[in-house]
């Protein structure tokens, strides 16, 4: 097969609206609704396996996301917790050996993140410990339910959509 040569320019206005309401000092409730757009990228149009084909009319995927959550920063702890829903239209996927638009997908879940400043917790926040920067422990947990809701793969789980994801680690910030 000859090499595929393609050039495309798209201009897509995207809209979003976010609000924040202060429930108490340093405790906020927030909501957001926003549109998304994912054009086909180089990795989407290159066959991975022998015999794979790419649809010649791969349309950009579009999405709309809704989120509501609570976040707070206190003396030595920061947390953010939210519930989200994302609906995709024309999502990319595989049907047998063809990469193509596979229909609608729905993702919803819960996300919570916590960061604890070790130095602030141990010594309090003052000028003396600022000279040494800051060391923080963080953890983030995401719970996700994702499913194709229409199209040739209806009822199946999209790739790269784990049921849960746990991230944790240390952050050292010298310049705090």
């Amino acid at each position: 097969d000859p090499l595929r040569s393609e050039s495309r320019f798209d201009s897509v206005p995207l809209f979003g609206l976010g609000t924040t309401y202060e429930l108490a000092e340093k405790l906020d409730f927030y909501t957001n609704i926003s549109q998304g757009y994912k054009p086909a990228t180089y990795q989407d149009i290159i066959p991975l396996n022998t015999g794979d084909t790419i649809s010649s009319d791969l349309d950009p995927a579009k999405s709309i996301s809704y989120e509501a959550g609570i976040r707070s920063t206190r003396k030595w702890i920061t947390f953010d917790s939210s519930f989200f829903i994302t609906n995709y239209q024309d999502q990319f996927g595989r049907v047998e050996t063809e990469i193509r638009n596979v229909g609608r997908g729905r993702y919803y879940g819960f996300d919570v993140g916590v960061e604890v400043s070790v130095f602030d917790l141990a010594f309090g926040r003052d000028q003396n410990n600022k000279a040494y920067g800051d060391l923080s422990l963080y953890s983030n947990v995401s719970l996700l339910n994702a499913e194709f809701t229409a199209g040739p793969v209806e009822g199946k789980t999209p790739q790269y959509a784990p049921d849960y994801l746990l991230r944790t680690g240390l952050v050292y910030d010298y310049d705090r």
Side-chain angles (χ1 to χ4, degrees), residues 60-121:
K62 297 178 179 114
S63 67
I64 188 159
S65 296
Y66 309 88
E67 180 181 26
I70 294 176
R71 66 177 157 234
S72 179
T73 299
R74 302 294 172 153
K75 293 179 182 180
W76 48 267
I77 189 168
T78 300
F79 79 89
D80 188 325
S81 176
S82 67
F83 177 76
F84 61 89
I85 300 171
T86 300
N87 290 307
Y88 275 94
Q89 178 182 330
D90 291 329
Q91 187 166 350
F92 306 147
R94 174 184 294 273
V95 176
E96 296 176 9
T97 61
E98 182 182 34
I99 306 299
R100 60 181 253 181
N101 295 104
V102 294
R104 294 187 178 178
R106 185 243 334 117
Y107 298 69
Y108 69 88
F110 179 73
D111 187 66
V112 63
V114 177
E115 184 172 344
V116 174
S117 168
V118 175
F119 290 172
D120 286 352
L121 179 61

Side-chain angles (χ1 to χ4, degrees), residues 8-23:
R8 185 172 176 169
F9 174 81
D10 291 321
S11 178
V12 179
L14 298 173
F15 299 96
L17 177 64
T19 63
T20 301
Y21 181 76
E22 188 174 326
L23 297 171

